[in-house]
Amino acid sequence: NPRNVLYAQLGCNLNESQIATIEKMSPERVPLCLDLLPALRGEDTTKSFFQELVNILLSYVCKSFRRSSKVLDFHHPHQLREGLEGFSLELPDQPENLEQLLVDCRDTLKYGVKTGHPRFFNQLSSGLDVIGLAGEWLTSTANTNMFTYEVSPVFILMEEILLRKMQEIVGWSEEEGDGVFCPGGTMSNLYSVLLARYHFFPEVKTKGMTALPRLILFTSAHSHYSVKKSAAVLGIGSDNVVVVKCNDRGKMITAELESSIITAKDQGCVPFYVNATAGTTVYGAFDPLNAIADICESHGLWLHVDAAWGGGLLMSKRHRVKLQGIERAWSVTWNPHKMMGAPLQCSAILVKKRGLLKDCNQMCAEYLFQTDKHYDTSYDTGDKTIQCGRHVDVFKLWLMWKAKGSEGFESQVNKCLENAEHLFDKLKQRPDFELVFKSEPEHSNVCFWYIPPSLRNMSPGPERNRRLHEVAPKIKAKMMEQGMAMIGYQPLGDKVNFFRCVFSNPATQTEDVDYLLEEIASLGHDICIRTETDL
């Protein structure tokens, strides 16, 4: 039976009863996945399925840019788990037909969040770049792996060209520079700690941490939590991460860094690494890179710059001055899936010293990295990574760069920061809002409180802070229930919950910024926070 043979070829675990049931079905039956390619005569069914799927995706893309559509249709976890209007997350024993799969695709998008919507301000990565999306589709169609040239020739060369371009923009010479695209900024930062440790103590690769003295690394109080996580993962320990104080604007205080390094040495520890941040997650602050580089040079420490968020500003002649000194870094994290708008995920670790990635990570697996291949095996780049299987994250960025050029990215970055300036100016003029800090934003982050009428005449103090702390979460909950916009909030240090608006979506216009303020004011106007006496 040809269909039985097909089931066997596809590895389907159908029993004889299930096969018999399918065989008895009418030729007019609804197609199943078994009718798609590589099934005999499966081309027409496959075309039809993809055409319907493309219609669903195109509809979603168009809605994402439509301001009248919702950013999200919020449901609580238990509601989605229990099933909504025929949308079930449970996995069946019997195959479902293609029509049901298309319904599931439609519902998956329906109940998700439109991160490309012009009024989605919730994350550092937002927007929906059509060229980047096309690149992601092609990448999935190719379905290859970034470990050897033999299975990924074009993508390997694209990665080399992109990394070289990014290193040039950072300011490194042609003789310097290496790197790799990673699954997110956290992994890129982890690479930097891994490489720094190996650079100073290569014996760690074979002997482990027991052969090393107590290592200390330094990062600012406003840096990303991935630095501590990297120390924990690599066996250095999060207690050996010294958190350096920041000023009111969120920048590392260099005198505190110098003092912390000297203290660590006096305690018999070995400082080896400093993480400076170019664009902090909450405030969007830029650490003073040149001053930090001077300290690192003085003490012989590895300088890493986490420019996951701020790296995009290097594309702008107007704003790249905020990263002055980045060329002195030994390694740099840069996430094009943030300010440059590439679809998730797209992050690079750039390393100044060539060959260090390979020396640190190479394991020479003979089933992949044979030395007697008939081509230049220096393009088998997989052995310089800590992964084996590695997703192709480069094509979408390469295609976007071809479509926009460097000038297009520059305009995109400038526009996002102009939106931040517009919001900042608006907030200064309104008595119902209060800025977290009075200086103009360095990046596209703008941090503020909404002050409901019930709190406007209260004197500053613990009670006002307690009540103000509850305002942002209540407004955010209402906003998500309505679904027309989305913004994040958080506390930081001694600051109670405040809104953080970030701009990385080129579709966002000043009218969307104005809408956001009116939406927050409308949702928060009647909020009544109970006093301590009422509790």
Side-chain angles (χ1 to χ4, degrees):
N1 187 317
R3 194 169 290 275
N4 289 36
V5 173
L6 177 60
Y7 297 147
Q9 288 174 340
L10 296 180
C12 298
N13 296 318
L14 301 181
N15 59 38
E16 290 301 320
S17 173
Q18 291 167 335
I19 293 173
T21 301
I22 294 172
E23 288 299 321
K24 290 176 183 176
M25 294 175 74
S26 156
E28 303 301 319
R29 65 181 175 78
V30 179
L32 300 169
C33 72
L34 296 171
D35 298 300
L36 299 173
L37 290 172
L40 296 174
R41 297 181 295 279
E43 190 170 324
D44 288 343
T45 305
T46 302
K47 283 182 180 178
S48 176
F49 176 72
F50 272 135
Q51 284 165 356
E52 289 298 322
L53 181 62
V54 167
N55 289 337
I56 292 170
L57 297 175
L58 184 58
S59 173
Y60 178 82
V61 169
C62 292
K63 282 182 181 178
S64 291
F65 292 109
R66 201 174 296 145
R67 287 168 175 81
S68 59
S69 69
K70 287 188 171 187
V71 175
L72 75 160
D73 182 4
F74 178 76
H75 291 81
H76 289 280
H78 73 273
Q79 294 173 309
L80 285 175
R81 283 196 65 86
E82 291 166 5
L84 292 167
E85 302 170 12
F87 180 47
S88 173
L89 299 177
E90 296 303 317
L91 299 173
D93 291 326
Q94 305 297 326
E96 293 186 345
N97 61 58
L98 296 183
E99 286 187 5
Q100 181 59 51
L101 297 185
L102 289 168
V103 170
D104 290 342
C105 290
R106 191 178 292 110
D107 286 343
T108 298
L109 293 173
K110 176 182 177 182
Y111 296 118
V113 178
K114 296 186 184 74
T115 58
H117 196 288
R119 292 172 180 171
F120 176 81
F121 307 97
N122 206 71
Q123 251 69 50
L124 302 184
S125 51
S126 66
L128 185 58
D129 190 280
V130 173
I131 298 295
L133 180 60
E136 192 66 44
W137 289 350
L138 185 144
T139 296
S140 294
T141 303
N143 192 34
T144 193
N145 202 319
M146 288 288 286
F147 44 39
T148 60
Y149 179 85
E150 66 186 86
V151 297
S152 194
V154 180
F155 296 137
I156 290 283
L157 294 176
M158 284 177 176
E159 181 172 52
E160 179 187 51
I161 288 166
L162 278 169
L163 290 169
R164 183 64 249 156
K165 184 72 170 178
M166 295 167 78
Q167 291 155 12
E168 175 189 318
I169 291 168
V170 165
W172 293 343
S173 71
E174 287 186 12
E175 293 74 34
E176 299 172 315
D178 199 352
V180 67
F181 276 77
C182 305
T186 291
M187 287 300 297
S188 294
N189 285 343
L190 185 144
Y191 266 103
S192 71
V193 181
L194 177 73
L195 293 168
R197 184 179 64 177
Y198 178 82
H199 172 75
F200 292 114
F201 302 97
E203 64 270 25
V204 72
K205 183 174 179 179
T206 52
K207 294 182 172 61
M209 285 296 294
T210 56
L212 274 57
R214 183 181 173 190
L215 301 181
I216 302 292
L217 56 152
F218 304 84
T219 193
S220 84
H222 283 234
S223 66
H224 195 262
Y225 68 91
S226 58
V227 178
K228 277 193 173 183
K229 181 173 282 191
S230 297
V233 169
L234 294 172
I236 296 169
S238 58
D239 284 350
N240 292 317
V241 178
V242 174
V243 176
V244 181
K245 291 179 183 176
C246 293
N247 62 21
D248 291 342
R249 189 57 187 80
K251 298 172 179 288
M252 183 190 286
I253 301 171
T254 53
E256 292 285 342
L257 172 63
E258 179 96 52
S259 173
S260 298
I261 293 169
I262 293 169
T263 299
K265 287 181 175 180
D266 290 344
Q267 292 172 346
C269 302
V270 178
F272 77 107
Y273 170 102
V274 174
N275 172 68
T277 308
T280 58
T281 306
V282 180
Y283 280 6
F286 290 80
D287 286 340
L289 300 184
N290 269 319
I292 294 171
D294 288 342
I295 293 170
C296 288
E297 286 181 9
S298 172
H299 291 276
L301 307 184
W302 180 289
L303 172 59
H304 174 69
V305 175
D306 178 3
W309 176 222
L313 272 63
L314 290 168
M315 304 301 296
S316 167
K317 298 180 188 72
R318 187 188 311 168
H319 296 291
R320 68 169 289 128
V321 66
K322 297 168 185 177
L323 294 95
Q324 193 169 28
I326 193 172
E327 71 281 357
R328 299 173 67 184
W330 294 27
S331 56
V332 173
T333 290
W334 181 351
N335 285 11
H337 69 230
K338 291 180 177 170
M339 278 306 290
M340 294 174 74
L344 285 160
Q345 59 197 17
C346 191
S347 174
I349 176 68
L350 309 177
V351 185
K352 181 175 282 188
K353 184 179 179 181
R354 281 191 186 163
L356 189 61
L357 270 166
K358 188 173 183 180
D359 291 344
C360 179
N361 297 311
Q362 186 177 40
M363 287 295 164
C364 302
E366 293 180 344
Y367 78 98
L368 279 176
F369 306 114
Q370 304 91 345
T371 57
D372 53 358
K373 293 180 180 179
H374 69 289
Y375 59 84
D376 182 352
T377 55
S378 68
Y379 288 99
D380 286 355
T381 56
D383 216 10
K384 69 180 183 181
T385 74
I386 59 176
Q387 298 167 256
C388 178
R390 190 160 64 97
H391 186 261
V392 177
D393 291 328
V394 296
F395 179 70
K396 56 197 169 192
L397 178 60
W398 179 86
L399 198 64
M400 288 172 64
W401 215 309
K402 295 278 280 189
K404 299 171 188 284
S406 299
E407 292 180 358
F409 281 124
E410 178 177 22
S411 299
Q412 188 170 307
V413 168
N414 289 343
K415 181 179 178 182
C416 289
L417 271 74
E418 286 164 9
N419 280 334
E421 292 164 7
H422 175 79
L423 174 57
F424 178 78
D425 291 340
K426 286 285 185 179
L427 288 166
K428 286 193 300 183
Q429 300 166 15
R430 295 191 58 147
D432 49 347
F433 289 89
E434 186 178 317
L435 286 158
V436 172
F437 44 85
K438 307 303 180 186
S439 58
E440 291 188 6
E442 283 190 290
H443 205 329
S444 74
N445 310 48
V446 183
C447 301
F448 59 93
W449 292 282
Y450 172 73
I451 313 298
S454 60
L455 299 185
R456 286 175 201 166
N457 296 320
M458 282 190 72
S459 300
E463 176 60 16
R464 183 181 186 272
N465 284 344
R466 185 195 67 78
R467 296 169 74 175
L468 183 58
H469 188 65
E470 297 182 36
V471 171
K474 289 179 180 291
I475 292 175
K476 172 74 176 280
K478 285 186 176 183
M479 186 180 288
M480 290 183 68
E481 294 285 352
Q482 291 193 6
M484 297 306 294
M486 199 167 172
I487 185 175
Y489 72 86
Q490 65 285 300
L492 186 65
D494 61 352
K495 304 283 195 300
V496 299
N497 279 328
F498 56 87
F499 289 112
R500 179 202 65 168
C501 188
V502 286
F503 299 94
S504 59
N505 184 354
T508 299
Q509 306 293 335
T510 54
E511 67 182 88
D512 302 305
V513 180
D514 298 341
Y515 175 88
L516 175 68
L517 290 184
E518 294 305 323
E519 180 78 348
I520 290 173
S522 173
L523 295 172
H525 185 271
D526 296 325
I527 281 180
C528 182
I529 308 296
R530 291 182 295 173
T531 65
E532 291 272 7
T533 314
D534 297 329
L535 295 175

